Amino acid sequence: MPVKYLEQIGETKLKKWLYEEYDLNIESIVPIPKGEIGDNYVVEDINKQKYFLKIYLQSKLHIDNPNGLKDSLKLTSQLHDAGIENVPYPIKLKNNELEGKLETYSITVTSYINGCNPVITSDLKIKFGEILAKIHQVKTENINLPIEPFNATYANKLAEQIKILEQKENLNKFQLELSDLLLPNQDKLKKHLFQFNELCENVKLKNKQLVVTHGDLIPDNLMVNGLGKVFIVDWDTARLSPPERDVWFFIYNNGQDFIQTYKAIYPSQDLDIDLLSFYMYKRYIEDLVYWADQILFEDLNEKQNQSNLKGIKISCLEAFHNIEEKVENMKNLISQ
């Protein structure tokens, strides 16, 4: 991934700005090849203290949600203040703001986690069950997090993508591969879309408790350090939703340890199978639509197109294959 923003700003200018705005005397800036919205770096000061730095282009950052970055920074700051030590928290500038401005860029500095993305074991499910049960009970102040809309927008989009592929007009080789993946499975996909639309209508009628949720608890956003302490990172997708938005990630397969821990710490929260199913279906459909949209409408390189096709095959189509079994597993767990 090119370090485009750092090259445009200049390393010397960025170090000077960090000293003036944060009082950080930075010695090294090392890029991290991760992130779609901004550029990511690990910076180290003269005392060998490391921080995580992110640079966003303001014109791209504020298109969909003008206050999204501010709200996610406020959230992680308040979670940290509430005693949740398992999230990276923003470092304040000298003026006590959480986000800095340099030319046309927004810059954030957060605490650094020296860890790796884990394989999720039973022991780790217990730890994440404890963390989420605590996070779901935190009351935030003066943060305008998005509220779950309970809509089926992505399901409608998938139906449109299938129609485009059926026409088979002027498709490139990656779009043809996408067609070979989706069209033979379109009857099954239409069945899943129907089930998802039904779930969507059902959950709209439920009396739901909304809590702070992360919503993207894939292994890339989970970390464990050398002492076995676990962390949840990248809170850009946070919103006020039922807790099922987070819980389903850990219980559709061997989730008993997670559920026991979660319920012990948050006993007043009754989990709902329709909501758990809604969020599982929603995630698989959203991922499929996102990757298919990139293949159909964006000019990507071969590596990215192949990665998207692999994601659709493994993380979506194969995941849908036994989704009824996953729903049944969750239903049995929460009824115990």
Side-chain angles (χ1 to χ4, degrees):
M1 175 181 172
V3 288
K4 50 186 181 297
Y5 298 157
L6 179 58
E7 290 175 352
Q8 292 167 7
I9 294 171
E11 186 170 323
T12 300
K13 181 183 287 188
L14 179 58
K15 287 180 178 179
K16 182 174 182 290
W17 182 86
L18 288 168
Y19 182 74
E20 292 173 348
E21 300 296 328
Y22 281 93
D23 203 21
L24 293 175
N25 196 345
I26 298 300
E27 277 193 335
S28 66
I29 302 175
V30 179
I32 303 173
K34 179 184 177 184
E36 297 180 359
I37 299 176
D39 286 357
N40 302 287
Y41 308 88
V42 173
V43 299
E44 186 174 299
D45 67 14
I46 58 173
N47 298 314
K48 305 304 178 184
Q49 177 69 45
K50 291 182 178 180
Y51 303 90
F52 181 70
L53 180 142
K54 194 159 188 173
I55 304 175
Y56 307 85
L57 186 62
Q58 291 177 28
S59 60
K60 290 185 177 181
L61 179 64
H62 301 305
I63 292 174
D64 297 324
N65 185 2
N67 296 314
L69 178 59
K70 289 183 185 296
D71 289 334
S72 67
L73 292 170
K74 284 182 182 178
L75 172 61
T76 52
S77 181
Q78 289 188 23
L79 289 176
H80 182 260
D81 292 344
I84 307 295
E85 299 179 351
N86 309 84
V87 298
Y89 57 90
I91 308 300
K92 292 182 179 180
L93 286 80
K94 289 180 181 179
N95 61 8
N96 281 327
E97 292 292 326
L98 302 177
E99 171 191 0
K101 301 285 195 285
L102 174 59
E103 298 175 349
T104 58
Y105 301 96
S106 290
I107 297 176
T108 62
V109 178
T110 58
S111 57
Y112 175 73
I113 299 169
N114 186 16
C116 61
N117 303 123
V119 175
I120 305 301
T121 62
S122 294
D123 288 343
L124 289 183
K125 284 189 177 184
I126 291 172
K127 293 181 179 181
F128 283 115
E130 178 181 350
I131 295 167
L132 284 175
K134 291 178 179 178
I135 289 174
H136 290 167
Q137 296 178 78
V138 171
K139 305 300 181 186
T140 58
E141 297 179 357
N142 302 317
I143 304 177
N144 297 315
L145 290 177
I147 298 175
E148 178 62 61
F150 297 104
N151 60 41
T153 304
Y154 279 88
N156 298 331
K157 183 78 172 178
L158 178 56
E160 294 172 6
Q161 291 172 337
I162 290 174
K163 286 183 180 179
I164 291 173
L165 294 172
E166 285 178 323
Q167 295 171 3
K168 294 186 179 297
E169 294 181 0
N170 302 317
L171 300 181
N172 62 37
K173 69 173 185 176
F174 301 111
Q175 293 164 348
L176 287 171
E177 287 185 51
L178 177 64
S179 176
D180 291 340
L181 280 176
L182 297 190
L183 293 188
N185 290 289
Q186 63 176 307
D187 288 341
K188 293 179 181 178
L189 288 172
K190 288 176 181 177
K191 175 186 173 184
H192 294 316
L193 292 179
F194 177 79
Q195 291 169 326
F196 176 65
N197 281 316
E198 279 198 330
L199 283 168
C200 189
E201 293 305 312
N202 288 343
V203 298
K204 286 179 182 178
L205 302 176
K206 293 181 181 288
N207 183 20
K208 302 170 286 291
Q209 179 182 1
L210 303 184
V211 302
V212 171
T213 61
H214 182 284
D216 192 20
L217 295 173
I218 59 174
D220 282 354
N221 292 332
L222 308 175
M223 297 189 73
V224 59
N225 68 13
L227 300 176
K229 186 174 181 178
V230 296
F231 299 86
I232 299 175
V233 303
D234 288 347
W235 285 81
D236 295 343
T237 57
R239 66 173 42 169
L240 293 176
S241 304
E244 286 86 351
R245 182 174 183 244
D246 287 340
V247 169
W248 81 268
F249 284 94
F250 294 96
I251 70 167
Y252 67 84
N253 182 30
N254 298 324
Q256 186 170 0
D257 293 321
F258 177 95
I259 282 291
Q260 288 178 345
T261 305
Y262 184 88
K263 286 186 173 182
I265 296 172
Y266 197 3
S268 63
Q269 180 59 54
D270 292 325
L271 298 171
D272 183 278
I273 188 57
D274 283 346
L275 284 164
L276 290 166
S277 302
F278 168 80
Y279 281 113
M280 182 164 61
Y281 272 89
K282 184 173 185 285
R283 179 53 187 256
Y284 295 158
I285 292 170
E286 283 182 350
D287 282 350
L288 198 162
V289 168
Y290 175 75
W291 287 322
D293 224 44
Q294 286 195 325
I295 294 170
L296 286 171
F297 303 113
E298 296 187 25
D299 185 20
L300 303 176
N301 59 39
E302 181 166 352
K303 183 178 180 181
Q304 186 60 59
N305 277 314
Q306 292 293 358
S307 175
N308 288 346
L309 288 166
K310 182 179 179 180
I312 289 171
K313 181 180 179 181
I314 296 174
S315 300
C316 301
L317 297 180
E318 291 183 9
F320 270 130
H321 179 68
N322 63 340
I323 195 167
E324 290 86 359
E325 180 182 338
K326 294 174 183 176
V327 170
E328 192 64 26
N329 287 342
M330 294 192 296
K331 184 177 180 180
N332 292 335
L333 268 180
I334 64 174
S335 64
Q336 293 177 4

